[in-house]
Structure formats: C-alpha cells, structure tokens
Amino acid sequence: MGGPAPRGPRVAAVRTAACNTPVVGTVVWDEEMAEVFDTVFSDQFDPAVLDPMAAGLAELAGDGAALEFGVGTGRVALALSARGVLVRGIELSPHMAARLERKPGAEAVDVVVGDMCTATVAGPFRLVYLVANTIMNVTTQDEQVAVFANAAAHLEPGGCFALEIVVPGIRGVAPGAPGRVFALEPDHAGIDTFDDVLGQVSWSLHWYQVDGRWLHHAAPFRYVWPSELDLMARIAGLRLAHRWADWRRQPFDAESRSQVVVYEKPRA
C-alpha cells in the first residue's frame, strides 16, 4: 500500500446490550457501514464464492423453509430465495435490513429486526444458517450458546443448523506479538489484535478505500474452536452431521483455515 492507510471517517461498530452482555456487546453495523457494505465485500458476491454456498444451503433446505441469522443486506438470502427456497431472516442492524428491503427480490424474504440470541420467527424451519463468521460478532460464550439454542428452537425435527466460520488464526501470531496483519491490499488493510486470550475476544481493525476516501471500521469478535462449536451444539440438543473445509465440501483437516459445519436436530 506504500505506507499506512490514511485515516478517514470512522465507521464504528456500535456495541449494544441486546444480549445483556455487561462487558462487550453484540456488534451492530451502523448506517454508514451499511451503505458501503456491499461495495466493501463485493468479492463475496462473485458467483465463484456465492454459488457453491447457495447450492449447499439449498440442498440442506430441500423442500423446507430456511432462516438466516444475521441476514445483513441479503447477499445469501436473496441467492437462496432465487433457487426457490422460502427464506426468512433475523438482522440486528435496522440499517442493514433497510438495504436489503431496497433490493430486487426482497419482497420474498421477510426480515425480523432483532437479536439472534432471542428473536423468534414463525416456523418451524428445515434449515437455520449463519455464515461469514457472524457468530463471532456475539462476543461471549454464553450468548453464543444462546444462538445455538435459538437455532435449535426454530428447527423442525431432522432439520439442520449450518455455520460458516474461520478456524482461529492464533498459530499465525508470533510469540509475544499483540496481533497480526491479515490483509494488506491497495484498498484494504486489516489487523487482528488478540486482546483477551482467556475470553477468546479479539478486535478486528480495518481500513477500506471506498469512492476515493478511507473508512476505518473496528469491531470485537469472539473466536470459537471447532470442538467448542460441537459442545455448544450438544448443549442445544443438536448433533454433528458434517464438517467440511468449504462449501465445495473439501475435507476438513488440521491445516484448514475455515469450516462449514452442519448440526442436525434429532427426529425423536
């Protein structure tokens, strides 16, 4: 990038007590970030990225309905709806939900503005899904367990809860270093700082260039280990059905940097 990214208007992730967290709250995308969200993450709309995900989710949903936790501006929900799946969504940020409402096809995707720890949507659903690391925006273990419980409560017997989430990148941090640079591109710089190793809370710091100006975005997240996800699922009455390295269902192993994991609600 030829030097540090210039500081521009700060696009801050608002922290809220929606999940009753006394220390670090759930991340809410504010209005300015919602306005540029699709531009900043335009690579995630690439068919090479989106199509395998939509196809995999459609297969899991079958002829049933799907519910997306953290539906955002509708990248995945609209693609899944276009495949004939009835999709509903929960989104904490009213600004993100408003962006979704203005898109073609949005009339087919009803969205409840609320917290995925506790918000409810009339169901039941064959599939509940949560992608793009969104469970890490819930920054305590108790609340992440509540997300699993809420997903399980929305599922019909035999239904699935699918998550897409990175494997924590702590191995890439040098001993004694406060964090790591994970992105250094002409229009994006990203740094993760590992601030609370015991609580598994990190901060993700970003500088984005959008329309000739630099935006700074910072937000906390709670990283989760694969075995911890499995235990959360078990607490919620779910059982592991699949774990892959990606939506193309490549095998998951010790070198995998991300995972797609599917939990099933028993039929009896």
Side-chain angles (χ1 to χ4, degrees):
M1 295 181 58
R7 287 184 177 269
R10 179 182 175 88
V11 181
V14 178
R15 286 184 287 172
T16 177
C19 285
N20 299 317
T21 307
V23 180
V24 179
T26 301
V27 173
V28 185
W29 302 102
D30 68 10
E31 184 174 7
E32 189 172 12
M33 191 63 194
E35 289 297 318
V36 301
F37 192 87
D38 289 355
T39 300
V40 166
F41 296 103
S42 60
D43 59 322
Q44 297 301 303
F45 289 82
D46 187 322
V49 175
L50 187 54
D51 287 355
M53 180 188 299
L57 291 170
E59 182 177 339
L60 291 171
D63 59 358
L67 172 62
E68 181 172 359
F69 282 1
V71 69
T73 65
R75 175 179 69 100
V76 181
L78 292 174
L80 189 57
S81 176
R83 291 174 177 262
V85 178
L86 176 64
V87 183
R88 299 291 180 258
I90 294 174
E91 172 55 44
L92 187 58
S93 168
H95 309 295
M96 297 286 276
R99 295 288 294 178
L100 167 55
E101 289 175 359
R102 298 199 290 268
K103 292 184 176 181
E107 67 279 357
V109 181
D110 291 339
V111 176
V112 170
V113 175
D115 164 24
M116 65 183 173
C117 299
T118 57
T120 59
V121 178
F125 295 87
R126 180 76 52 81
L127 171 68
V128 177
Y129 66 95
L130 197 166
V131 300
N133 306 318
T134 303
I135 194 169
M136 298 197 306
N137 290 348
V138 178
T139 51
T140 71
Q141 187 182 66
D142 284 347
E143 291 166 352
Q144 289 176 345
V145 169
V147 171
F148 272 81
N150 199 25
H154 280 90
L155 287 173
E156 63 185 44
C160 293
F161 181 33
L163 301 93
E164 176 193 51
I165 183 173
V166 297
V167 176
I170 289 183
R171 287 194 300 176
V173 180
R180 66 187 179 105
V181 176
F182 65 86
L184 192 59
E185 301 160 355
D187 59 354
H188 175 217
I191 300 172
D192 281 344
T193 61
F194 293 88
D195 306 278
D196 180 1
V197 177
L198 291 179
Q200 297 173 203
V201 175
S202 175
W203 275 80
S204 190
L205 313 173
H206 299 263
W207 290 263
Y208 299 106
Q209 189 177 48
V210 181
D211 297 330
R213 63 185 179 129
W214 286 95
L215 302 178
H216 178 219
H217 166 65
F221 64 86
R222 184 181 188 274
Y223 52 90
V224 195
W225 301 100
S227 58
E228 188 180 9
L229 289 172
D230 293 351
L231 184 56
M232 291 179 181
R234 188 182 306 174
I235 291 170
L238 305 175
R239 60 191 179 196
L240 178 65
H242 306 285
R243 176 175 278 114
W244 303 298
D246 55 34
W247 288 103
R248 291 182 171 82
R249 303 189 179 186
Q250 295 297 311
F252 180 85
D253 58 30
E255 301 304 316
S256 297
R257 296 185 177 183
S258 63
Q259 62 180 313
V260 173
V261 59
V262 180
Y263 299 102
E264 184 178 57
K265 183 173 183 175
R267 294 184 181 275

